[in-house]
Amino acid sequence: MNEGMGLKIAGFLIILGFIHSQATLNPKTYDYEVKEANFTRLCKNKTILTVNGEFPGPTIYARRGDTLVVNVYNKGNLGITIHWHGVKQPRYPWSDGPEFITQCPIQPGANFSQKIILSDEEGTIWWHAHSDWSRATVHGLIVIWPKVGRPYPFPKPYVEYPIILAEWWRQDVEAVLLDFMKTGGDPNTSDALTVNGQPGDLYPCSSSETTKFILEHGKTYMLRMVNAAMNLFLFFGIAGHEITVVGTDGAYTKPLKSHYGVISPGQSIDVLFKADQPIGQYYFAARPYNSQPAISFDNTTTTAIFEYKGYKNSSSKPAFPHLPKVNDTGASVNFTGSFRSLASRAHPIDVPMKITRNFLYTISINTLPCPGNTCLGPRGLRFAASVNNITFDPKSISILNAYYGRINGVYGDDFPRFPPELFNFTSSNISRSLETPLNSTEVQVLNYGDTVQLVIQGTNVVAGIDHPMHLHGHSFYVVGWGLGNYNKSRDPLNFNLVDPPLQQTIAVPKNGWTAIRFKADNPGVWLMHCHLERHISWGMETVFITKNGVGAGESLLPPPPDMPPCT
């Protein structure tokens, strides 16, 4: 290499370093105005809460390891929080978002600049409101590409399309929340499902606005999918086309081929498919999976249309995909249970092998007394939900504020490691004496560096159902699952410790269990909860606090100056 060429390369590297340092000092910034806007769906106009007047909200684009700033301006009439679902926020829970866990709501007229610190996330995740039921309309995608110069671990798709699945109520969503919390019963079911904000042409007044995607024959496409529905698991598929799952919850997976998929509330999935069918129109469709026949639910189907270039208009309807039956538990658990990490040199995994903390958490539907037995739950009681028989009851000051500021009386640190009472969790004949939970605000405290194995056991208390459990601040390895009661002697022998999927939201099957492992290497306060919105409203949540370590980079960072105050 001659001297002139060497100086040019050195100068180029200096410029690259300057650009990188400037990007670090001046992160990409988004402005989010939370405000009301008018939308017409199902023949009716109504006002909904939005970000920047959009439904779904704007997409955030980033690369692995970026830091972003989102300036959230609350121009609505209620307090709001925003959660960056799947972002671990290393050492910085201040921007995580769950109401009264890591922050108090941003009040009307106020703003909060939330710093979003990406680490090893890569793929599709999402953001949503995390206060009351605002996330029904306040949500959007986060697309995280590989670092510059790093390829996808699969052939690059021709085009990437977003698929955000959600629910739509004709009624005001806050009214739905207030009504069911007042009556103690189940919430009113939604009136439609949506793809990218549109119900699709199986619903009234929806044909002309049906979401449509254009395909070029022979090309491969990616669907970046999120289930933003409030209370529904969803089966999905594309008529005539095989799909290949290549990622979930911001981590890549070994290719999983299927003719259908299932996606739980809170989960994201990256799907590839090849446009290899005859020129025509084909429905993408999504409809519910529900394992509990005793509850009412929105048993409708939302559609979008995939149309090949060169298609000539026809009076015939697009082809429709074959989806599993609404109560097909086998189809649900077998699909989800087939995910595997890449576990390759380019995408290594680090499954904790030596466990220092073992937990067994039961998740249950419960009942609470109701004056005069006038509520709409079973036998006139009020519905509740619990983890290890504790219905979580946060106070009007955030747990993170109390932890960081050493404020007493906000939470306790005695959350049980195991269920307080052992019984046949999945029996069809469970004593009613086990239905009533305790109300408290207890947390589980972890030491920095603890390696955790948590078995989440579904129960048949009141009624068994699948639960999509989401852990903030961490991804976890799903090392095992099964139907029935977890057997601590037998079941670990079948754990997958070679290539388990790395996820942040996992569907615990009805009257079954799921085993996860993670390392407590993220100091802070981190929520774990069911992502069925009615269940978190009833109290199916708990909190992990990870203490500071001793080394550099192992301590909680200080709060930002504009942290919303607790009033």
Side-chain angles (χ1 to χ4, degrees), residues 38-46 168 197-199 205 209:
N38 290 321
F39 281 77
T40 300
R41 300 287 186 272
L42 308 180
C43 320
K44 180 182 178 181
N45 182 270
K46 78 169 192 173
W168 183 269
Q198 294 293 342
C205 305
E209 303 298 329

Side-chain angles (χ1 to χ4, degrees), residues 516-557:
I516 66 174
R517 291 185 178 187
F518 65 94
K519 186 175 182 180
D521 56 2
N522 193 6
V525 172
W526 306 109
L527 179 66
M528 187 181 79
H529 64 95
C530 180
H531 225 279
L532 293 173
E533 209 65 22
R534 67 184 188 277
H535 291 178
I536 191 172
S537 298
W538 290 337
M540 189 179 286
E541 56 184 306
T542 187
V543 165
F544 289 99
I545 292 181
T546 298
K547 296 192 294 187
N548 289 338
V550 295
E554 295 182 356
S555 294
L556 179 65
L557 294 167

Side-chain angles (χ1 to χ4, degrees), residues 387-419:
V387 180
N388 271 357
N389 204 45
I390 290 179
T391 293
F392 203 73
D393 184 24
K395 306 297 188 288
S396 58
I397 180 172
S398 83
I399 292 174
L400 178 57
N401 282 354
Y403 171 66
Y404 189 79
R406 300 183 180 181
I407 302 170
N408 294 324
V410 176
Y411 66 90
D413 59 2
D414 196 27
F415 189 85
R417 294 174 54 212
F418 301 99

Side-chain angles (χ1 to χ4, degrees), residues 25-45:
L25 291 172
N26 301 295
K28 189 173 183 179
T29 299
Y30 291 83
D31 289 331
Y32 275 19
E33 286 190 358
V34 179
K35 60 183 180 180
E36 303 282 349
N38 290 321
F39 281 77
T40 300
R41 300 287 186 272
L42 308 180
C43 320
K44 180 182 178 181
N45 182 270

Side-chain angles (χ1 to χ4, degrees), residues 36 46-49 77-80 99 129-138 169 171-182 230 533:
E36 303 282 349
K46 78 169 192 173
T47 299
I48 64 172
L49 197 64
N77 55 12
L78 296 172
I80 192 79
E99 185 178 37
H130 214 303
S131 48
D132 295 329
W133 275 31
S134 303
R135 82 167 179 86
T137 54
V138 178
W169 279 261
Q171 187 182 7
D172 178 75
V173 172
E174 287 299 316
V176 174
L177 169 65
L178 293 173
D179 182 63
F180 98 92
M181 293 301 285
K182 178 181 177 181
M230 300 290 276
E533 209 65 22

Side-chain angles (χ1 to χ4, degrees), residues 53 61 104 133 205 233 252 289 300 320 531 557:
Y61 295 95
C104 290
W133 275 31
C205 305
F233 289 73
Y252 296 123
Y289 158 63
T300 60
F320 204 88
H531 225 279
L557 294 167

Side-chain angles (χ1 to χ4, degrees), residues 428-482:
S428 59
N429 185 25
I430 294 177
S431 171
R432 288 180 180 174
S433 65
L434 296 168
E435 289 187 5
T436 306
L438 302 174
N439 274 65
S440 77
T441 317
E442 299 294 328
V443 309
Q444 182 66 242
V445 178
L446 302 173
N447 291 317
Y448 186 91
D450 273 343
T451 47
V452 177
Q453 177 172 293
L454 169 60
V455 176
I456 309 171
Q457 173 71 60
T459 80
N460 204 35
V461 175
V462 179
I465 194 169
D466 301 69
H467 296 283
M469 300 302 293
H470 171 50
L471 177 61
H472 291 223
H474 303 78
S475 291
F476 49 74
Y477 293 99
V478 182
V479 297
W481 65 274

